[in-house]
Amino acid sequence: MSQITLTFPDGHARDYPAGVTAAEVAASIAPSLAKRAISASLDDRHIDLAWPIAASGSLAIHTMKDEAPALELIRHDLAHVMARAVQAIWPDVKVTIGPVRDYGWFYDFDRAEPFTPEDLGAIEAKMREIINAREPVRTEIWDRARAIAHYEAAGEPFKLELIDRIPEGQDLRMYWHGDWQDLCRGPHLQSTGQLPADAFKLTHIAGAYWLGDASRPMLQRIYGVAFRNRDDIKAHMTMLEEAAKRDHRKLGREMDLFHMQEEAPGQVFWHPNGWNIYVTLQDYIRRKQRGDGYVEVNTPQVVSRTLWEESGHWDNYQDHMFIVEVDEDHARTKTVNALKPMNCPCHVQVFNHGLKSYRDLPLRMAEFGSCNRYEPSGALHGIMRVRGFTQDDGHIFCTEDQIEAETRKFIDFLSGIYADLGFDGWRIKLSTRPEKRIGSEESWDRVEAALGNACKAAGHDYELFPGEGAFYGPKLEFVLRDAIGRDWQCGTLQVDPNLPERLDAEYVGPDGAKHRPIMLHRAVLGSFERFIGILIENSAGKLPLWLAPRQVVVASIVSDADAYVAEVVAALRAAGLRAEADTRNEKINYKVREHSVGRVPAILAIGMKEVEERTVSLRRLDAQGSRSLTLTEAVAQLAVEAAPPDLR
């Protein structure tokens, strides 16, 4: 029998017979490791303990202490256990697929009757029963004919379609959790008893088309979350409760910021309060960009198909584009255009207009570009996932030698904006060359090193994601962490030599010859719509005074104070504050409660004492009690707080 060599994380190596399993390797190292082992990684590929290892490589044995592989297995196994539980309770239900996702999993079912929230409790109880039975998990490789015969006999049409989608010659792996069987790539745990019975929760039910195709059957999707222990899931459920309180759709209604409606799916109707946030944020970004050397442009919404073909978007992105056909000059021949889904090709057109020299580089170009992308209706989510949005889009045209300096400059630029907006906790992901790529290895080496060096020079570490870059260049992604621990990927910087090549962008170098520029796609916020949603949820609607849509309400305690209320409002507005009067015939406590629900940061209460003394009683949102200030003091103090961070 041939021998293979397995190298362990500590650098030691051992020889084993070909076909040895990771379980057998663990047992050869220590009985205690064999007992604790849950899976392994072979050359960074996550494998099942029961799979035979045919060739030499690097092997790491995982236990429940290894968070990433442990969570993947727990969530994947629970998807199977949930499907088994559903079919145990309702034997006529047909199963489809159940992938792992953030924090948990989902599984799609074909059932005539709708699942109810009460059903989730019954399914959970059956799942715990299966887990507590501690039944073994086993796996086999089947040939295609056997698998087809099995699922035809079981009456599982969705599994038959999945088999048909698997390329000929590829293994068909079957897994059994106890006596319940599923087609699955694996890996899985070795026993249902390894699952934490007190660390999972079924959360909700939703509809989903089979394989995401609206022309296919509508299925029922059950979602679950799972962690390694009870404390972790308790913390997660607490976070979900807090997230529900902070939901930007709920706060958007309470603060009267925006609404959505069926006649314009995925489009935002901004109300005056919401638009105040929008333009204040946009004005702030505009000033920051100008200060950092950007020129601002504006490009067309509707662009001919020919440009999208030249840029490559027509072939690769057409399904996400809104097509516009126009009968030009009634010629009875329609011209095909598209609403722009991104701004990049249009910015190259601006660059191409007129001769550019190396002395013009780097050229930093920015646009608040309104874009439209088709998103499936089921993917839309408030203002976080929309079809019409505006990006704080920017493109830096530079030479390869300028990439590192421009990247560092952008990281510093982004860092200052995130700090001003209340996000100190963020990290950088560096995605490097994929398997299929263009360009020389030497060029990739230089550009990847430039991005990494720029991060370090800017004082930031980065997390490496090998193979996740675009086919034409590496990229940086900037991930925010909000007040309740959720991550949001917002900022990006993408190195792109491809689009300037496709669209024939050139500059004259110091040698007098024409050269291609490198294009750096960059954004700080991403889209204004999504980022405003993140801001609302991060702050629970309690935005800082400079961003608050309604900054100050001046509320009368008695009607005799109305004239002074008007004077106070006028003084605040003259100082640049968004101030409004509330002289309704209501009690002051009622007014304070109502404006607190609307997240107004400052309420000035005015009674006869304030009128006589020319003072105001300042109440802060969520603060206990109030402070008495002269009108001059109050206006000066609030005006300072209301100034955007870059103007203080």
Side-chain angles (χ1 to χ4, degrees):
M1 180 178 291
S2 61
Q3 294 287 105
I4 61 172
T5 301
L6 297 177
T7 304
F8 301 107
D10 63 2
H12 288 84
R14 290 191 187 184
D15 292 335
Y16 293 91
V20 69
T21 66
E24 292 168 338
V25 173
S28 74
I29 295 172
S32 60
L33 179 61
K35 186 175 181 180
R36 293 182 292 112
I38 57 171
S39 65
S41 287
L42 179 64
D43 295 332
D44 295 323
R45 182 171 69 96
H46 198 190
I47 67 169
D48 197 294
L49 289 176
W51 295 354
I53 302 172
S56 300
S58 299
L59 186 75
I61 305 295
H62 301 307
T63 70
M64 282 294 179
K65 290 184 178 180
D66 299 310
E67 183 176 20
L71 287 174
E72 179 187 340
L73 292 175
I74 288 169
R75 291 162 180 169
H76 197 178
D77 279 59
L78 282 168
H80 282 223
V81 168
M82 182 179 77
R84 177 182 172 183
V86 167
Q87 287 196 311
I89 301 171
W90 300 282
D92 59 336
V93 170
K94 307 302 180 188
V95 295
T96 63
I97 53 175
V100 172
R101 60 190 293 272
D102 290 345
Y103 307 116
W105 76 93
F106 66 77
Y107 209 113
D108 290 344
F109 300 97
D110 185 22
R111 183 187 180 215
E113 297 296 320
F115 289 111
T116 67
E118 291 73 25
D119 290 335
L120 298 185
I123 298 169
E124 282 186 2
K126 177 59 72 173
M127 289 173 69
R128 291 190 174 89
E129 182 182 313
I130 293 167
I131 291 168
N132 291 332
R134 305 182 67 82
E135 294 177 301
V137 176
R138 58 190 180 87
T139 183
E140 291 181 0
I141 300 292
W142 283 9
D143 63 52
R144 189 171 296 265
R146 182 182 178 188
I148 290 172
H150 172 82
Y151 284 118
E152 284 178 342
E156 293 284 6
F158 299 99
K159 294 297 182 184
L160 289 168
E161 184 173 343
L162 290 175
I163 291 172
D164 189 55
R165 289 172 171 267
I166 297 173
E168 289 284 348
Q170 187 171 321
D171 289 344
L172 300 183
R173 183 172 289 280
M174 301 294 175
Y175 270 92
W176 282 262
H177 284 69
D179 60 2
W180 186 85
Q181 177 271 342
D182 202 0
L183 170 70
C184 183
R185 288 180 305 212
H188 280 284
L189 294 167
Q190 303 306 293
S191 160
T192 62
Q194 291 178 298
L195 288 166
D198 59 352
F200 74 90
K201 177 73 176 174
L202 303 187
T203 57
H204 61 289
I205 306 157
Y209 291 111
W210 170 232
L211 300 178
D213 185 343
S215 67
R216 307 299 303 278
M218 173 63 79
L219 307 173
Q220 296 185 69
R221 177 171 293 178
I222 299 179
Y223 288 89
V225 294
F227 293 86
R228 290 182 294 172
N229 55 63
R230 183 172 56 187
D231 289 342
D232 286 351
I233 195 166
K234 183 178 178 181
H236 180 74
M237 298 310 293
T238 300
M239 184 272 287
L240 290 182
E241 291 172 6
E242 183 61 30
K245 296 176 187 175
R246 294 168 177 257
D247 190 311
H248 73 280
R249 295 166 297 181
K250 169 180 174 288
L251 294 176
R253 290 189 298 271
E254 293 177 357
M255 298 170 70
D256 192 22
L257 302 180
F258 60 85
H259 81 272
M260 326 282 282
Q261 63 188 62
E262 292 181 1
E263 290 80 0
Q267 309 284 338
V268 185
F269 289 80
W270 289 103
H271 297 190
N273 291 339
W275 196 242
N276 279 337
I277 301 174
Y278 198 108
V279 296
T280 300
L281 185 60
Q282 189 177 82
D283 289 346
Y284 163 76
I285 295 293
R286 175 175 282 118
R287 290 191 302 271
K288 295 288 286 186
Q289 288 181 162
R290 286 176 178 168
D292 214 48
Y294 285 83
V295 293
E296 186 175 335
V297 300
N298 188 268
T299 58
Q301 292 292 297
V302 181
V303 180
S304 171
R305 166 181 176 169
T306 56
L307 180 60
W308 302 116
E309 288 176 332
E310 291 170 3
S311 70
H313 291 98
W314 190 260
D315 291 335
N316 299 310
Y317 209 78
Q318 186 180 345
D319 289 345
H320 297 280
M321 298 170 74
F322 287 97
I323 309 303
V324 181
E325 294 186 346
V326 179
D327 186 359
E328 294 281 3
D329 299 322
H330 307 290
R332 300 184 184 277
T333 301
K334 291 190 175 180
T335 300
V336 179
N337 305 292
L339 291 176
K340 65 177 180 182
M342 64 273 298
N343 304 293
C344 336
C346 293
H347 286 193
V348 179
Q349 305 313 300
V350 177
F351 180 88
N352 286 349
H353 196 79
L355 190 65
K356 297 294 187 298
S357 160
Y358 70 95
R359 294 186 180 89
D360 298 316
L361 305 184
L363 174 60
R364 305 181 193 103
M365 189 181 299
E367 179 178 8
F368 297 123
S370 294
C371 298
N372 290 270
R373 298 178 188 173
Y374 174 74
E375 297 280 1
S377 58
L380 301 177
H381 178 70
I383 63 174
M384 297 283 210
R385 190 80 176 266
V386 291
R387 291 177 177 172
F389 57 94
T390 299
Q391 294 177 306
D392 68 321
D393 209 359
H395 295 94
I396 302 169
F397 296 88
C398 64
T399 67
E400 186 176 301
D401 291 341
Q402 293 170 331
I403 291 175
E404 182 173 332
E406 286 302 301
T407 300
R408 177 180 179 179
K409 183 176 178 61
F410 174 68
I411 294 172
D412 290 339
F413 176 72
L414 171 143
S415 178
I417 291 174
Y418 283 176
D420 284 348
L421 295 175
F423 294 102
D424 295 318
W426 53 274
R427 67 183 192 277
I428 304 175
K429 296 163 59 175
L430 169 55
S431 298
T432 58
R433 69 196 79 181
E435 184 176 341
K436 294 182 179 179
R437 56 186 178 268
I438 61 173
S440 68
E441 294 305 292
E442 293 78 9
S443 176
W444 277 93
D445 289 341
R446 290 194 301 271
V447 174
E448 288 174 354
L451 296 190
N453 292 339
C455 292
K456 293 174 183 175
H460 296 277
D461 293 326
Y462 59 86
E463 190 177 357
L464 201 61
F465 283 76
E468 296 297 316
F471 74 91
Y472 49 77
K475 66 178 176 179
L476 298 178
E477 294 179 321
F478 301 87
V479 183
L480 299 175
R481 176 153 291 181
D482 72 10
I484 57 175
R486 297 173 300 179
D487 287 341
W488 304 93
Q489 190 273 305
C490 294
T492 57
L493 183 137
Q494 171 76 61
V495 179
D496 183 4
N498 180 60
L499 197 59
E501 177 73 29
R502 294 186 69 108
L503 298 181
D504 201 27
E506 296 176 332
Y507 69 92
V508 178
D511 58 357
K514 292 184 177 180
H515 301 269
R516 298 286 185 212
I518 297 292
M519 192 175 184
L520 304 181
H521 305 254
R522 49 105 292 183
V524 178
L525 307 185
S527 87
F528 277 87
E529 287 73 12
R530 180 170 178 265
F531 200 88
I532 288 172
I534 294 169
L535 279 173
I536 292 167
E537 296 197 0
N538 181 61
S539 65
K542 300 166 187 174
L543 294 164
L545 191 65
W546 73 276
L547 263 181
R550 302 168 64 207
Q551 293 176 327
V552 189
V553 169
V554 185
S556 60
I557 297 173
V558 294
S559 59
D560 288 346
D562 289 357
Y564 184 53
V565 166
E567 182 182 344
V568 173
V569 168
L572 291 165
R573 289 177 177 172
L577 287 141
R578 293 188 285 276
E580 57 194 89
D582 184 351
T583 55
R584 294 173 298 164
N585 186 23
E586 300 284 356
K587 292 184 177 179
I588 188 63
N589 288 341
Y590 175 86
K591 294 179 182 180
V592 169
R593 283 195 301 272
E594 185 180 80
H595 297 309
S596 295
V597 169
R599 273 59 172 189
V600 177
I603 301 172
L604 303 184
I606 306 293
M608 290 312 298
K609 178 184 176 187
E610 285 75 25
V611 172
E612 293 165 2
E613 298 177 354
R614 295 192 60 76
T615 60
V616 297
S617 180
L618 172 61
R619 297 168 181 258
R620 299 282 190 173
L621 183 62
D622 286 347
Q624 296 295 320
S626 59
R627 292 175 57 216
S628 180
L629 299 169
T630 67
L631 175 56
T632 301
E633 290 172 337
V635 170
Q637 181 176 313
L638 292 171
V640 170
E641 290 182 37
D646 62 310
L647 297 180
R648 291 176 188 168

